[in-house]
Amino acid sequence: MNFSFSDDQVLLKNSVRALLDEHCKPEHVRAMMDDKTGYGEPLWGEMAKLGWLGLPFPEQYGGAGLGLVELALIHEEMGRAAYPGPFLASVVLGGFPILLGGSAAQKEKWLPAIASGRARLSAALQEDRLDCDPAGITTTAARAGDGWALTGVKRFVPWAHVADALLVPARGPEGLSLFLVDPKGAGAALKPVTGMDLTTRWSELRLDGARVGADALVGGAGGGGAILESTLRRAAVCASAEMLGAARRSLDMAVGYAKVREQFGQLIGTFQAIRHKCAEMLMEVENSHSAVYYAAWALEAGAEDAAIAASICKSYVSESARKVCGEAIQVHGGIGFTWEYDLHLYFKRAKSLEVQFGDAEYHRELIARHVSSAS
């Protein structure tokens, strides 16, 4: 059994790291915190040229036709660089629902536009309960002429301020449905929200009878539940890959610091307490690596345990990444808490992603239901 990446996957990983090392240094990440849009168009355009924005889409839609493992490789490197931008929002939250359940016309319109970087999409998944359980969605969809009128409030919508369209789940007479909504259209209003991770932008979306046409329906009336669940699993694995990247970067910084920092006339890396702490961090990172890439492979291959693998991955990595990033700050001591030191970029990225697409508790509940139903 071979668990290593293929030569092409290693080449992809190395090329992503090289580009981000050159164009997404911590200085760039910090500069984007004060930028109006929150990300750099030149780097976004470069990603489009390299095919990252269309990586999981079929070639007929301008994509590369690659899988979730390759997408996870990109996300891991983005977590390592704390990349600020709407990559996950547009490619995963926006692209996958259309790829999985969109009409031919929707695929023709949106997938090439996402892949080329001309359009950015996102999804409005959370409401007042602040979870991603489709059963908790209360936004309503009422028939209005040939189309629909949507009413409700969505919380923490990622990168909505630069999105050309948002995937909005809403409950109608037929059940849960997905709609493409113009966030700047009539009846829709965005309000910026500041989170702890300043490299990611959030908005609150208020829908007050927002009208959408019949062609905005993705997957048919009442057919949104299955698409949403499949998208959430992919988003959970991609978010876990980003947390893995943040954790691995924090581990590297901690080990590097322990090799040069002296206390009481000795390198702190010679102290047993520091050595054991770094060893435990490495174990957490390697376990997270296995969880992420097995789940990515399982979802792509349609394996029987794909859904449970995604939940195990998100549940484990959510807590593991927080622990590793936190321990890296402990290894650094007081300087690790300072704004000038970069560790907080990775800690906050991991902490922010920890609660998205279902936190550890939510996914443990899904695991428990699976175990109970199987026994």
Side-chain angles (χ1 to χ4, degrees):
M1 189 174 292
N2 185 2
F3 291 102
S4 60
F5 295 127
S6 68
D7 291 343
D8 288 342
Q9 289 168 338
V10 172
L11 184 62
L12 173 66
K13 181 182 179 72
N14 291 341
S15 67
V16 174
R17 177 170 295 191
L19 184 74
L20 294 178
D21 280 348
E22 182 178 356
H23 297 287
C24 192
K25 300 178 187 298
E27 295 80 8
H28 172 79
V29 175
R30 291 171 180 270
M32 290 300 104
M33 292 180 185
D34 299 321
D35 186 83
K36 182 179 179 181
T37 60
Y39 74 104
E41 277 293 344
L43 182 53
W44 187 254
E46 194 65 27
M47 291 178 181
K49 288 180 186 176
L50 293 171
W52 300 2
L53 303 182
L55 186 138
F57 306 149
E59 293 181 8
Q60 69 185 96
Y61 300 119
L66 296 178
L68 206 57
V69 172
E70 287 81 5
L71 194 59
L73 284 170
I74 292 181
H75 277 287
E76 181 182 348
E77 291 305 314
M78 288 183 170
R80 181 181 175 276
Y83 164 71
F87 185 86
L88 191 152
S90 189
V91 177
V92 179
L93 300 182
F96 271 120
I98 295 174
L99 180 64
L100 294 171
S103 65
Q106 289 168 339
K107 291 177 182 177
E108 289 287 349
K109 177 180 179 180
W110 290 109
L111 296 184
I114 296 172
S116 66
R118 289 184 285 108
R120 284 151 289 269
L121 271 66
S122 185
L125 304 177
Q126 297 193 71
E127 298 188 350
D128 287 340
R129 287 176 32 163
L130 299 181
D131 64 25
C132 287
D133 188 349
I137 291 173
T138 60
T139 296
T140 60
R143 295 277 186 180
D146 294 336
W148 302 79
L150 308 182
T151 301
V153 179
K154 299 291 186 178
R155 311 287 187 186
F156 295 98
V157 185
W159 300 97
H161 67 299
V162 295
D164 298 280
L166 299 174
L167 271 296
V168 175
R171 201 167 295 282
E174 296 85 356
L176 192 63
S177 302
L178 273 178
F179 298 89
L180 280 161
V181 176
D182 180 356
K184 302 175 182 66
L190 293 176
K191 178 183 176 183
V193 176
T194 301
M196 71 176 299
D197 177 14
L198 299 179
T199 64
T200 301
R201 300 297 173 88
W202 307 94
S203 297
E204 177 186 280
L205 171 67
R206 287 188 173 273
L207 300 168
D208 185 10
R211 297 287 293 270
V212 295
D215 59 351
L217 188 61
V218 177
I227 300 171
L228 190 57
E229 288 183 357
S230 296
T231 300
L232 281 170
R233 289 188 191 113
R234 286 162 171 78
V237 172
C238 289
S240 298
E242 275 203 43
M243 288 188 283
L244 168 62
R248 199 182 289 281
R249 181 64 171 264
S250 297
L251 170 62
D252 291 345
M253 292 178 69
V255 171
Y257 187 76
K259 288 179 177 177
V260 298
R261 174 62 172 162
E262 291 187 5
Q263 282 285 350
F264 312 112
Q266 298 182 60
L267 296 173
I268 64 171
T270 63
F271 299 151
Q272 188 179 57
I274 298 295
R275 290 162 61 88
H276 285 190
K277 191 181 289 293
C278 290
E280 289 170 359
M281 292 162 65
L282 177 60
M283 289 173 61
E284 293 289 347
V285 167
E286 291 303 322
N287 285 338
S288 295
H289 176 98
S290 299
V292 165
Y293 287 102
Y294 178 75
W297 172 84
L299 285 172
E300 188 63 33
E304 186 177 348
D305 63 345
I308 197 70
S311 285
I312 291 172
C313 167
K314 186 62 169 61
S315 176
Y316 185 86
V317 180
S318 289
E319 294 183 341
S320 175
R322 184 215 318 147
K323 179 180 179 182
V324 171
C325 294
E327 292 288 55
I329 292 175
Q330 294 296 324
V331 170
H332 281 75
I335 194 173
F337 284 88
T338 60
W339 175 261
E340 290 76 14
Y341 216 70
D342 294 331
L343 268 177
H344 70 91
L345 299 176
Y346 314 109
F347 179 85
K348 291 173 182 174
R349 174 63 61 91
K351 188 64 183 170
S352 174
L353 289 169
E354 179 184 338
V355 296
Q356 293 181 48
F357 318 120
D359 60 9
E361 184 178 354
Y362 171 76
H363 281 284
R364 283 202 188 98
E365 174 62 25
L366 296 183
I367 295 167
R369 291 178 192 173
H370 173 82
V371 171
S372 301
S373 64
S375 60

